[in-house]
């Protein structure tokens, strides 16, 4: 029986009672599906439903075939290795004992001598050069993502469920993952905002507040079809609204003509000469005609309203994200950040960064680049004071704010609103609400607990709290586009383009870096600055 996933009449609501899916119908076969939609619309939730991490409130879900699941972050314990992730630790131990002449007869009979080559092939398909015994804790976030994806490929599931698989990956890693997906011939459901990856899909499924819609073909084809459908729906809505106005205009004209006839009849009756029985008939006919006209007008109006509502149902009413930053007043000659001869690491004698020196002066826009594991996160920890240098000095000479990949400046147990007031203690309630509204957290949405937010919503909340009131002269962003939907990325690009402070950005998204006007690149390689 062919592998398949079928969702029928699925309904599910968030813990606070907000309906996310209602009577959702979807089916997937041996195809690569890109799952897209705005932040918070339920993309990750849909993957959790398919993987049985959560249960639907109603409806049925059927999965025929095996699943391989890659979540947004690969959680690791200190003693877990790549071999553990692959589930081959014991099998590799048997091979080692066999090579040393210590294996039992039963172990020799079950030994899989192809295992090392198959592990190496799986790691190679994701561009990861590492040994099976390598601890996952020693890998960067991007390297762990590649290791997790390699483990899935090794297991050869019928379906891959991938949640933002190119997040945190350097250029080489992204290229390897895109190549892997391009050649994948089984099923795959991939949540992503990576346009290059989405170009390799067989179909796009868009989730909106209206439900799910499938578009055959790649990302470009989806965008073309979506634009045509929206234009058609907007045209239908305009026509329906025009008909509503026309019905109202004609109904008013009919009422006015009937009123004119009634006034004429009353004047004639006042002059006399018309028998009373005829006057009664005229009045009755007038009332009947007026009632018939009103009922006809109401029927026409109701039909036009139904057409308008049907057109509106095809258009998701979206309130765009707006990022407008007040000026910081940072002068061109002011030194913002200074690193002099810095060396630092986590284990004595094994520095991650060696003798690093650079300055940031005035409103410079700098991209911090390098392969996964090159020391970018370590450098950010130095700048923010989380790490102390072994040698040299690291000094931030102005106010700054940093948004790391986990948005750890937010208290997960507090609401977005309370986080904003804590981070911006001088802002009043009106300023707080206005700032949050610009980042699409209006009214009760601002009262959501941070721990309940999706990845994209979490990043928007962090941006709102840092940028919504008085942005600092130095802004440090670590992979800011990782969890944002494409429309939100565009809005952030527009806002940062107008920002007059200094920017230090870690990102592998070249389109984003170009859009925000990066002026200088600092590339780390093996703990050294090469650019």
């Amino acid at each position: 029986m062919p592998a398949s996933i079928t969702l029928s009449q699925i309904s599910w609501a968030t813990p606070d009672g907000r309906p996310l899916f209602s009577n959702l119908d979807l089916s997937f076969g041996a195809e690569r599906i890109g799952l897209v939609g705005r932040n918070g619309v339920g993309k990750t939730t849909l993957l959790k439903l398919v993987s049985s991490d959560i249960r639907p409130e109603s409806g049925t879900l059927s999965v025929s075939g095996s699943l391989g699941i890659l979540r947004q972050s690969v959680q690791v314990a200190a003693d877990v290795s790549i071999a553990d992730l692959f589930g081959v630790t014991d099998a590799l131990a048997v091979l080692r004992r066999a090579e040393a002449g210590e294996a039992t007869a039963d172990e020799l009979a079950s030994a899989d001598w192809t295992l090392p080559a198959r592990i190496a092939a799986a790691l190679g398909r994701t561009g990861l050069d590492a040994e099976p015994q390598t601890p996952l804790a020693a890998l960067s976030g991007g390297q762990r993502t590649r290791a997790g994806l390699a483990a899935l490929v090794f297991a050869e599931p019928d379906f891959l469920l991938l949640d933002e698989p190119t997040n945190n990956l350097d250029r080489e890693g992204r290229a390897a993952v895109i190549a892997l997906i391009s050649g994948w011939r089984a099923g795959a459901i991939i949540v992503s905002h990576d346009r290059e990856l989405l170009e390799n899909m067989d179909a796009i499924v868009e989730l909106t507040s209206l439900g799910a819609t499938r578009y055959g073909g790649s990302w470009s084809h989806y965008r073309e079809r979506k634009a045509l459908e929206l234009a058609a729906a907007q045209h239908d809505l305009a026509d329906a609204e025009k008909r509503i106005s026309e019905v109202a205009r004609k109904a008013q004209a009919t009422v006015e003509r009937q009123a004119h006839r009634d006034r004429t009849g009353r004047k004639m009756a006042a002059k006399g000469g018309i028998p009373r029985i005829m006057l009664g008939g005229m009045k009755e006919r007038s009332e009947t005609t007026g009632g018939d006209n009103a009922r006809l007008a109401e029927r026409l109006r109701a039909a036009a309203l139904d057409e308008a509502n049907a057109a509106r149902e095809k258009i998701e009413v979206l309130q765009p994200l707006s990022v407008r930053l007040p000026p910081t007043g940072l002068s061109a000659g002011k030194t913002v950040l200074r690193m002099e001869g810095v060396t630092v690491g986590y284990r004595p004698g094994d520095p991650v960064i060696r003798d690093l020196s650079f300055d940031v002066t005035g409103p410079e826009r700098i991209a911090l680049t390098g392969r996964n594991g090159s020391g970018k996160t370590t450098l950010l920890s130095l700048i923010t004071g989380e790490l102390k240098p072994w040698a040299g000095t690291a000094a931030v000479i102005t106010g700054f704010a940093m948004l790391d990949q986990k948005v750890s400046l937010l208290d997960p147990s507090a609401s977005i609103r309370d986080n904003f007031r804590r981070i911006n203690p001088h802002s009043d309630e009106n300023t707080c609400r206005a700032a949050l509204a610009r980042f699409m957290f209006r009214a009760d949405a601002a009262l959501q607990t941070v721990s309940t937010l999706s990845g994209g919503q979490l990043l928007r909340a962090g941006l709102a709290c840092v940028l919504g009131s008085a942005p600092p002269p130095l802004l440090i962003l670590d992979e800011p586009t990782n969890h944002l939907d494409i429309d939100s990325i565009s809005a952030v690009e527009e806002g940062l383009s107008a920002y007059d402070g200094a920017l230090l950005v870690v990102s592998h998204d070249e389109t984003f870096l170009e859009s925000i006007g990066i002026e200088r690149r600092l590339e780390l390689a093996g703990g050294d600055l090469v650019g």
Side-chain angles (χ1 to χ4, degrees):
M1 180 172 153
S4 64
I5 297 172
T6 303
L7 297 89
S8 178
Q9 298 291 293
I10 294 293
S11 295
W12 193 86
T14 61
D16 61 1
R18 178 172 64 90
L20 205 56
F21 302 127
S22 180
N23 299 321
L24 181 67
D25 293 317
L26 278 173
S27 62
F28 307 96
E31 56 188 341
R32 297 163 300 178
I33 300 293
L35 190 60
V36 303
R38 294 227 163 188
N39 295 140
V41 78
K43 302 184 296 293
T44 296
T45 299
L46 182 60
L47 291 190
K48 289 181 177 179
L49 285 165
V50 172
S51 63
S52 296
D53 287 350
I54 58 177
R55 301 290 182 182
E57 295 176 353
S58 63
T60 58
L61 190 150
S62 173
V63 177
S64 172
S66 58
L67 303 178
I69 305 164
L70 182 73
R71 295 177 172 83
Q72 288 187 14
S73 60
V74 179
Q75 302 298 322
V76 298
D79 58 347
V80 173
S81 68
I82 290 177
D84 295 326
L85 191 63
F86 275 60
V88 297
T89 301
D90 292 341
L92 288 175
V94 168
L95 294 182
R96 287 194 297 270
R97 288 196 294 273
E99 291 171 347
E102 300 171 354
T104 66
D106 288 342
E107 287 176 334
L108 287 172
S110 64
D112 181 358
W113 295 99
T114 69
L115 189 57
R118 291 192 293 116
I119 294 172
L123 290 169
R125 290 185 70 180
T126 63
L128 183 60
D129 183 14
E131 296 298 323
Q133 64 270 22
T134 304
L136 292 179
L139 303 178
S140 69
Q143 290 171 322
R144 286 198 295 271
T145 295
R146 281 192 269 176
L149 186 54
L152 298 186
V153 172
F154 178 80
E156 299 181 342
D158 295 303
F159 282 96
L160 292 175
L161 305 183
L162 309 181
D163 198 353
E164 301 287 6
T166 58
N167 275 4
N168 307 317
L169 297 186
D170 55 28
R171 286 190 293 272
E172 178 184 326
R174 288 181 69 247
V177 170
I178 290 170
L180 186 155
I181 298 301
S182 298
W184 187 255
R185 292 297 174 259
I189 305 174
I190 304 171
V191 173
S192 182
H193 65 260
D194 188 326
R195 287 159 284 190
E196 187 177 356
L197 175 59
L198 293 171
E199 285 295 348
N200 294 278
M201 299 297 105
D202 299 310
I204 301 293
V205 170
E206 182 190 31
L207 290 182
T208 70
S209 61
L210 304 177
T213 307
R214 175 189 288 259
Y215 298 83
S218 66
W219 171 258
S220 296
H221 186 259
Y222 153 75
R223 294 297 287 180
E224 291 171 2
R225 286 283 307 280
K226 182 71 172 176
L228 290 173
E229 287 184 4
L230 285 176
Q234 289 164 351
H235 181 269
D236 290 345
L237 178 60
D239 280 351
E241 289 177 338
K242 183 178 180 180
R243 281 194 293 275
I244 292 171
S245 298
E246 184 68 13
V247 167
R249 184 187 66 78
K250 288 182 177 179
Q252 182 61 32
T254 299
V255 169
E256 290 175 357
R257 284 195 300 271
Q258 184 63 43
H260 176 72
R261 286 195 293 267
D262 290 346
R263 285 195 298 273
T264 300
R266 286 194 295 272
K267 288 180 180 177
M268 292 175 62
K271 293 178 180 178
I274 299 177
R276 183 172 299 178
I277 190 170
M278 289 183 64
L279 289 175
M282 292 170 61
K283 180 179 179 183
E284 183 177 347
R285 285 194 297 273
S286 173
E287 290 173 349
T288 300
T289 301
D292 289 344
N293 288 338
R295 285 188 289 273
L296 175 61
E298 182 56 33
R299 284 197 299 272
L300 293 174
R301 179 175 175 276
L305 284 173
D306 287 343
E307 292 176 10
N309 290 334
R312 288 191 185 95
E313 286 178 358
K314 298 178 182 178
I315 303 172
E316 184 178 15
V317 180
L318 298 172
Q319 296 171 311
L321 170 63
S322 173
V323 181
R324 299 186 184 92
L325 307 183
T328 67
L330 179 63
S331 62
K334 181 175 177 57
T335 299
V336 174
L337 169 66
R338 174 162 291 161
M339 309 286 285
E340 294 183 342
V342 169
T343 297
V344 72
Y346 302 95
R347 294 185 297 272
D350 185 19
V352 176
I353 291 174
R354 292 182 295 271
D355 194 27
L356 179 66
S357 298
F358 71 91
D359 288 352
V360 178
T361 304
E364 284 193 277
R365 294 168 176 260
I366 300 172
L368 180 58
T369 63
R371 298 181 64 179
N372 293 134
S374 62
K376 301 186 296 297
T377 299
T378 300
L379 179 55
L380 295 186
S381 297
L382 262 176
I383 293 171
T384 60
E386 292 181 28
L387 274 180
K388 300 300 180 185
W390 294 352
T393 59
V396 181
I397 309 167
T398 187
F400 75 95
M402 174 176 166
L403 277 182
D404 59 22
Q405 294 180 37
K406 297 179 180 177
V407 196
S408 54
L409 84 164
L410 299 183
D411 178 357
S413 65
S415 68
I416 304 170
R417 178 259 180 205
D418 290 345
N419 271 286
F420 186 99
R421 294 300 300 270
R422 173 179 57 82
I423 294 169
N424 301 278
H426 301 298
S427 296
D428 59 23
E429 186 69 14
N430 286 338
T431 301
C432 168
R433 291 303 187 125
L436 294 180
R438 288 197 297 274
F439 285 81
M440 298 169 62
F441 295 111
R442 296 172 172 83
D444 288 347
L447 303 180
Q448 295 176 91
T449 303
V450 167
S451 62
T452 67
L453 302 179
S454 70
Q457 289 173 313
L458 180 64
L459 184 56
R460 273 199 287 114
L463 287 168
C465 291
V466 169
L467 306 178
S469 180
L474 170 62
L475 188 57
I476 304 168
L477 303 175
D478 188 6
E479 299 289 2
T481 63
N482 266 0
H483 300 292
L484 290 179
D485 59 63
I486 295 172
D487 290 338
S488 294
I489 291 173
S490 298
V492 171
E493 288 172 348
E494 184 178 353
L496 292 180
S497 295
Y499 174 62
D500 70 347
L503 276 175
L504 181 62
V505 183
V506 174
S507 178
H508 298 295
D509 187 334
E510 288 297 322
T511 303
F512 174 75
L513 293 177
E514 182 179 347
S515 297
I516 63 175
I518 288 298
E519 304 163 329
R520 180 156 64 112
R521 291 174 184 258
L522 301 176
E523 184 174 358
L524 287 174
D528 299 315
L529 195 61
V530 296

